[in-house]
């Protein structure tokens, strides 16, 4: 509907570079030996998640030469070539974002929850790159974890089982309903940090229901 295929036909026998905008996310492709670039933002609306996700503030500097344009992305923290946004790394990170990082492998008897329990979790690193995991649990009025924070280094393409001990206290009469509410709302907050040599640290975080 944009009419671009017709314009592309006019350009097929000419050297050209294509720039676009509007989506506030940087992308770079080569199509038929021509550069296709979608610009990010220069202060507009953006989550600013960083170069791997194509979300950053920049100026694209174009220098025209007899051999064609030279392109450079100017940012507050450095200057990058036109093809710095590596599609393979972004796709890998999407695997982490779309799939579960923490899986709960234990069950709690919701009808008789009082007592000592073991919470079994399997944590995953699905990428071909090591990651540092930080997992946090939150004590409540009736739920008390032996260890509220777990830090682990996960090798590439690995899964590790964690066993965490906790205690559920017996509520008084009015507290029964509150205890059930606390159990239903319990979550583990997790954060995976990948340290890429080129891009620096990239953090992916989320939450997983426990009971």
């Amino acid at each position: 509907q944009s009419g671009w295929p017709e314009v592309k036909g006019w350009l097929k026998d000419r050297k050209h570079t294509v720039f676009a905008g509007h989506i506030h996310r940087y992308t770079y492709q080569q199509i038929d030996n021509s550069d296709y670039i979608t610009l990010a933002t220069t202060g507009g609306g953006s989550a600013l998640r960083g170069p791997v996700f194509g979300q950053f503030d920049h100026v694209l500097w174009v220098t025209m030469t007899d051999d064609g344009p030279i392109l450079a992305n100017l940012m507050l923290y450095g200057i990058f070539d036109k093809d710095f946004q590596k599609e393979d790394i972004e796709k890998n990170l999407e695997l982490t974002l779309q799939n579960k990082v923490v899986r709960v492998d234990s069950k709690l008897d919701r009808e008789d929850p009082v007592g000592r329990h073991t919470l079994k979790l399997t944590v995953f690193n699905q990428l071909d790159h090591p990651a540092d995991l930080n997992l946090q649990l939150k004590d409540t009025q009736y739920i008390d974890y032996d260890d509220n924070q777990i830090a682990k280094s996960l090798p590439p393409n690995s899964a590790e089982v964690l066993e965490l001990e906790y205690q559920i206290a017996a509520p008084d009469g009015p507290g029964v309903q509150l205890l059930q509410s606390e159990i239903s709302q319990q979550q583990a907050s997790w954060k995976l940090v990948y340290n890429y040599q080129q891009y620096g640290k990239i953090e992916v975080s989320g939450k997983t229901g426990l009971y």
Side-chain angles (χ1 to χ4, degrees):
Q1 295 179 354
S2 66
W4 174 249
E6 184 179 5
V7 176
K8 185 179 179 182
W10 300 339
L11 297 172
K12 67 179 181 179
D13 296 324
R14 298 173 59 104
K15 294 181 179 180
H16 60 278
T17 300
V18 179
F19 299 98
H22 187 53
I23 66 171
H24 294 197
R25 180 177 176 274
Y26 189 94
T27 64
Y28 169 80
Q29 291 177 288
Q30 270 206 339
I31 301 176
D32 298 330
N33 296 319
S34 294
D35 289 335
Y36 279 59
I37 294 174
T38 302
L39 303 182
T41 52
T42 56
S46 174
L48 297 178
R49 291 191 296 171
V52 168
F53 294 97
Q55 295 179 338
F56 49 83
D57 284 329
H58 73 133
V59 173
L60 180 56
W61 187 284
V62 181
T63 302
M64 199 61 198
T65 73
D66 292 339
D67 298 322
I70 298 174
L71 312 177
N73 286 283
L74 277 61
M75 308 182 200
L76 293 180
Y77 49 87
I79 300 176
F80 293 79
D81 201 354
K82 64 185 179 183
D83 62 349
F84 75 94
Q85 198 259 5
K86 300 298 183 183
E87 189 176 5
D88 55 342
I89 295 179
E90 179 189 8
K91 287 181 178 178
N92 284 340
L93 285 174
E94 288 293 339
L95 290 176
T96 298
L97 292 171
Q98 293 171 4
N99 294 280
K100 289 185 177 180
V101 171
V102 179
R103 185 183 71 201
V104 180
D105 296 324
S106 58
K107 292 185 178 181
L108 177 68
D109 185 351
R110 298 282 292 269
E111 299 301 321
D112 185 23
V114 175
R116 191 79 176 164
H117 303 278
T118 300
L119 176 63
K120 294 184 179 181
L121 305 174
T122 302
V123 293
F124 300 90
N125 174 15
Q126 304 177 78
L127 305 193
D128 299 326
H129 199 86
D132 293 325
L133 170 73
N134 186 282
L135 187 140
Q136 291 185 326
L137 305 170
K138 186 177 181 180
D139 289 339
T140 66
Q141 181 175 346
Y142 296 106
I143 304 173
D144 181 35
Y145 296 97
D146 289 4
D147 193 353
N148 292 77
Q149 184 166 322
I150 296 89
K152 301 286 293 185
S153 292
L154 301 179
N157 300 301
S158 65
E160 186 167 341
V161 177
L162 306 178
E163 294 190 358
L164 312 174
E165 303 296 323
Y166 67 102
Q167 178 77 31
I168 296 183
D172 53 21
V176 174
Q177 187 174 0
L178 176 59
L179 171 58
Q180 290 297 328
S181 176
E182 289 181 355
I183 291 174
S184 64
Q185 296 180 37
Q186 277 294 285
Q187 294 180 322
S189 299
W190 55 264
K191 177 171 65 177
L192 279 179
V193 179
Y194 297 93
N195 193 1
Y196 288 95
Q197 183 176 1
Q198 181 177 2
Y199 300 111
K201 290 184 178 180
I202 297 174
E203 177 183 307
V204 183
S205 58
K207 294 182 179 180
T208 300
L210 296 179
Y211 310 118

